[in-house]
């Protein structure tokens, strides 16, 4: 993150009058003080009463509460974001628990489904698979080489559990970057949301007269790969310091694309790596409570799709890092169960490339049942059971009781979303284990109770992890995001587990603590990047106290800064509010 992103008490501004009020980044609305109203020619353009940011937040929250339903509230928040950046983020900060589900899942999914019908103002960069020759120019207009820190890109094929949403997926890129700013202080004007419009196989969208994307079945194969590669290479050339975050790509592409580019540049896929990191943190926390080392644990994962295999990968690499064993040996402590039962080598071509490392030798299971979850658990006696199958209630009473039979406090994580697809209800898990289970879910869940004692249920929410990882990569300008950097992030998150202080508390911190969490996750990522020689920023502080201050200094906060007027002919792009908008004419273009 450049010096432009650091905190400053005074900000240069070349805008005046209505142009200033129409700038979300500079606009203070009714909070412009008298001297700025005079200097920036705002007198007569605003009501006379001057308010504080806190008063504005109170009014905006009342307006928010008056909206009829979650989608209307989401639309209200989007409108506020386009009017006043500081007020938007401050309102969310003050009411993060209530607003989180409005600006992100599940309500953002509904907004994405209704993107074309609700469309008012474009946000982000729209790239067309049939116009690949224009990608470089379309990306170039968003800034100069040093202007962009964080790019989120999606092709819209697998959005938030609602599938192919075509061009409406731009909103998931926008939402992820909102979380990066909210949760980790990534500067909002140094981010770029992108959608790769490849067409759609969603017949509802193709038959919708209002649909704004390409009316064509989703393009695949060589043309698709060339499209992705053209984007990545253009982004890398135009914004060499930018971190690229892949989001909601289809099952056949997510891991393949990630593995193609991660050896060469700093890239991340939240569906594969983010889910794995936050789940690994919960596993580390839980194993600590039962005094079991990760390297000595046995783990069963039910549901071996992209999420399940992503979790397996993070656990496997963490075991390898902790014990010094090979990834192959570490994988032997993980048993993956999918539709045919336990993954075996004899499944051959039916295994995906992500599943292959976890397929067991058939000889291990001669004369043993392996076609159902209960039989596998009876044989393996795992410490941890993780569900990513979207098969409701598959963690039956017999399965859960079997887990509890051989370990004092079994770790049972029904992670599938939405709640109706959870592998088990946490209340049932708690009752069946007589309050002994350590539970984590993929969606928020109220506390559970047994014999008069309440137990918190942790939420494996990627948002407590991915923003801090991104911040660490950005601040260190890491060349790559390594496995050890991800493991460092997971350990940092696990170290903040409330359950370490109170065994009845959740295994993971609450989202209300996410900004503080991001500081320590970023520090862990930065330190590991330095250790591996991947950090490209010089003079990163060595001492923890100095590093913490260094990180905090560079986190953007939603506060009004004093504006200092500069004449347009002496103003830089920041003062003209040309950061984070398509307003750049690069030399030679």
């Amino acid at each position: 993150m450049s010096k432009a992103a650091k905190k400053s008490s005074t900000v240069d501004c070349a805008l005046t009058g209505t142009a200033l009020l129409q700038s979300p980044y500079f606009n203070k609305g009714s909070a412009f003080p008298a001297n700025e109203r005079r200097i920036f020619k705002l007198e007569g353009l605003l009501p006379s009463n001057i308010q504080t940011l806190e008063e504005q937040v109170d009014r905006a929250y009342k307006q928010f509460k008056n909206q009829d339903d979650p989608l209307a509230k989401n639309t209200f928040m989007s409108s506020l974001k386009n009017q006043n950046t500081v007020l938007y983020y401050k309102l969310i900060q003050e009411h993060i628990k209530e607003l989180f589900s409005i600006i992100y899942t599940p309500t953002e999914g509904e907004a994405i489904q209704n993107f074309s019908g609700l469309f008012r103002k474009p946000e982000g960069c729209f790239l067309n698979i049939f116009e690949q020759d224009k990608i470089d120019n379309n990306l170039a207009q968003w800034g100069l080489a040093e202007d962009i820190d964080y790019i989120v890109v999606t092709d819209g094929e697998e959005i938030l559990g609602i599938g192919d949403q075509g061009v409406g997926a731009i909103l998931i890129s926008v939402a992820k970057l909102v979380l990066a700013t909210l949760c980790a202080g990534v500067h909002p004007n140094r981010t770029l949301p992108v959608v790769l419009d490849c067409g759609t196989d969603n017949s509802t969208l193709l038959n919708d007269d209002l649909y704004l994307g390409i009316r064509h079945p989703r393009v695949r194969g060589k043309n698709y790969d060339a499209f992705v590669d053209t984007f990545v290479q253009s982004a890398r050339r135009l914004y060499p310091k930018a971190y690229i975050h892949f989001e909601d790509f289809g099952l056949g592409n997510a891991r393949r694309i990630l593995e193609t580019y991660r050896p060469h540049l700093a890239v991340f896929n939240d569906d594969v790596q983010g889910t794995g990191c936050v789940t690994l943190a919960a596993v580390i926390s839980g194993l600590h409570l039962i005094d079991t080392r990760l390297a000595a644990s046995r783990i069963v994962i039910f549901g071996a799709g992209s999420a399940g295999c992503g979790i397996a990968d993070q656990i496997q690499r963490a075991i390898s890092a902790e014990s010094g064993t090979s990834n192959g040996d570490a994988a032997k402590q993980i048993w993956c169960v999918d539709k045919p039962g336990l993954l075996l080598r004899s499944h051959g071509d039916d295994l995906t490339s992500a599943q292959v490392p976890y397929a067991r030798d058939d000889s291990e299971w001669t004369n043993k049942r392996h076609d159902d979850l209960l039989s596998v658990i009876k044989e393996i006696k795992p410490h941890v059971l993780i569900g990513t199958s979207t098969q409701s209630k598959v963690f039956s009473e017999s399965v859960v009781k079997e887990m509890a039979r051989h370990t004092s406090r079994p770790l049972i994580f029904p992670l599938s979303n939405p709640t109706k697809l959870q592998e088990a209800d946490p209340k049932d898990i708690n009752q069946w284990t007589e309050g002994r289970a350590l539970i984590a879910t993929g969606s928020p869940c109220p506390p559970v109770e047994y014999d008069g004692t309440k137990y918190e249920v942790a939420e494996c929410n990627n948002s407590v992890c991915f923003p801090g990882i991104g911040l660490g990569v950005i601040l260190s300008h890491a060349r790559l995001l390594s496995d050890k950097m991800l493991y460092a992030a997971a350990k940092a998150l696990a170290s903040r587990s409330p359950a370490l202080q109170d065994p009845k508390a959740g295994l993971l911190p609450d989202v209300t603590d996410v900004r503080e969490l991001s500081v320590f996750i970023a520090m862990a990522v930065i330190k590991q990047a330095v250790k591996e020689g991947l950090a490209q920023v010089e003079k990163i502080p060595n001492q923890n106290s100095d590093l913490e201050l260094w990180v905090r200094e560079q986190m953007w906060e939603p506060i009004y800064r004093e504006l200092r007027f500069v004449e347009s002919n002496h103003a830089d792009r920041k003062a003209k509010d040309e950061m984070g908008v398509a307003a750049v004419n690069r030399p030679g273009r």
Side-chain angles (χ1 to χ4, degrees), residues 55-317:
E55 289 172 326
Q56 289 181 317
V57 167
D58 289 343
R59 182 174 62 248
Y61 182 62
K62 290 175 182 176
Q63 293 170 343
F64 169 85
K65 296 292 284 186
N66 285 335
Q67 304 305 309
D68 292 334
D69 54 54
L71 184 58
K73 291 177 178 178
N74 177 279
T75 302
F76 169 82
M77 292 302 296
S78 296
S79 177
L80 181 60
K81 182 171 181 281
N82 288 327
Q83 296 171 47
N84 186 325
T85 301
V86 169
L87 178 56
Y88 170 80
Y89 284 104
K90 190 65 174 179
L91 174 61
I92 301 172
Q93 267 193 2
E94 293 296 315
H95 302 278
I96 188 169
K97 197 78 170 177
E98 180 179 358
L99 269 66
F100 205 88
S101 64
I102 299 297
I103 63 166
Y104 191 49
T105 181
T107 311
E108 188 66 11
E110 189 177 355
I112 290 169
Q113 288 178 302
N114 290 277
F115 171 76
S116 295
L118 295 174
F119 181 82
R120 294 180 181 176
K121 181 181 178 181
E123 188 171 5
C125 184
F126 299 80
L127 300 178
N128 185 326
I129 195 167
F130 298 122
E131 297 178 348
Q132 295 187 36
D133 58 321
K134 298 181 181 179
I135 289 175
D136 209 60
N137 281 331
N138 291 347
L139 282 174
Q141 64 187 328
W142 290 90
L144 301 178
E146 68 277 7
D147 289 348
I148 301 296
D149 290 325
Y150 199 142
I151 297 172
V152 174
V153 59
T154 182
D155 73 350
E157 186 173 6
E158 195 63 42
I159 299 293
L160 296 172
I162 56 176
D164 188 342
Q165 296 300 318
V167 76
I170 186 65
L171 294 184
I172 194 59
S173 295
V174 171
K176 285 290 185 177
L177 288 171
V178 164
L179 295 185
T181 297
L182 175 71
C183 302
V186 174
H187 197 289
N189 279 8
R190 301 183 59 81
T191 65
L192 178 58
V194 179
V195 63
L196 305 179
D197 192 350
C198 310
T200 178
D201 290 335
N202 186 327
S203 59
T204 300
L205 297 179
L206 291 173
N207 293 321
D208 182 357
D209 291 339
L210 295 178
Y211 180 59
L212 292 170
I214 299 171
R215 292 180 182 278
H216 189 283
R218 184 169 284 275
V219 177
R220 304 182 186 277
K222 292 183 179 179
N223 197 14
Y224 172 85
D225 287 346
F227 185 34
V228 174
D229 190 61
T230 301
F231 159 74
V232 171
Q233 300 307 332
S234 290
R236 185 181 189 183
R237 181 173 56 257
L238 294 167
Y239 308 111
K241 296 182 180 180
Y243 168 69
I244 300 177
H245 171 146
F246 296 108
E247 185 69 25
D248 286 340
F249 281 71
L251 296 178
N253 293 319
R255 177 180 295 272
R256 181 175 65 87
I257 291 171
L258 176 66
E259 296 302 329
T260 296
Y261 296 107
R262 71 183 303 244
H264 309 291
L265 64 160
V267 297
F268 175 78
N269 185 302
D270 194 37
D271 308 294
V272 176
Q273 296 166 301
T275 301
C277 273
V278 73
T279 306
L280 171 59
V283 169
I284 293 171
S285 302
L287 291 177
H288 181 84
L289 293 178
I290 60 174
D291 198 26
T292 300
R293 292 185 304 111
L294 182 64
S297 64
R298 296 179 298 278
I299 297 162
V300 170
I301 298 175
F302 185 73
S306 61
C309 289
I311 291 168
D313 286 348
Q314 295 302 321
I315 294 174
Q316 173 213 52
R317 291 161 185 169

Side-chain angles (χ1 to χ4, degrees), residues 318-476:
I319 291 171
S320 178
E322 181 183 292
S323 63
T325 61
S326 67
N327 283 347
D329 286 341
K332 294 177 182 178
Q333 292 175 231
I334 303 168
W335 288 260
C336 291
V337 182
D338 210 73
K339 294 175 183 176
L342 183 68
L343 298 186
L344 299 172
R345 291 180 183 173
S346 60
H347 291 140
D349 292 342
D350 291 333
L351 298 171
T352 67
S353 59
Q355 293 172 340
V356 169
Y358 306 102
R360 314 298 295 199
D361 193 315
D362 291 59
S363 63
E364 298 175 16
W365 290 83
T366 302
N367 300 322
K368 298 176 184 177
R369 284 199 63 182
H370 51 73
D371 58 349
D372 70 283
L373 179 60
L374 179 59
S375 298
V376 172
I377 289 174
K378 285 182 176 180
E379 181 65 28
I380 300 303
K381 298 178 175 56
H383 303 89
V384 185
L385 174 61
I386 298 170
T388 57
S389 67
T390 67
Q391 294 185 36
S392 177
K393 309 301 182 185
V394 72
F395 290 179
S396 63
E397 182 174 1
S398 56
V399 164
V400 171
K401 286 187 173 180
E402 185 62 33
M403 282 291 299
R405 191 164 284 128
H406 53 259
T407 184
S408 59
R409 299 200 71 184
L411 280 65
I412 303 178
F413 299 173
L415 299 182
S416 290
N417 284 316
T419 303
K420 65 181 180 181
L421 299 181
Q422 279 181 345
E423 286 78 10
D425 188 323
K427 290 186 294 185
D428 291 335
I429 295 173
N430 192 54
Q431 289 296 317
W432 295 335
T433 62
E434 298 177 332
R436 292 190 288 126
L438 296 164
I439 308 169
T441 58
S443 300
C445 180
V448 293
E449 185 174 342
Y450 182 79
D451 198 22
T453 301
K454 286 188 176 182
Y455 302 88
E456 296 290 333
V457 176
E459 180 189 359
C460 282
N461 187 334
N462 294 16
S463 301
V464 300
C465 199
F466 87 80
I469 293 172
L471 180 63
V473 174
I474 290 168
L475 294 185
S476 63

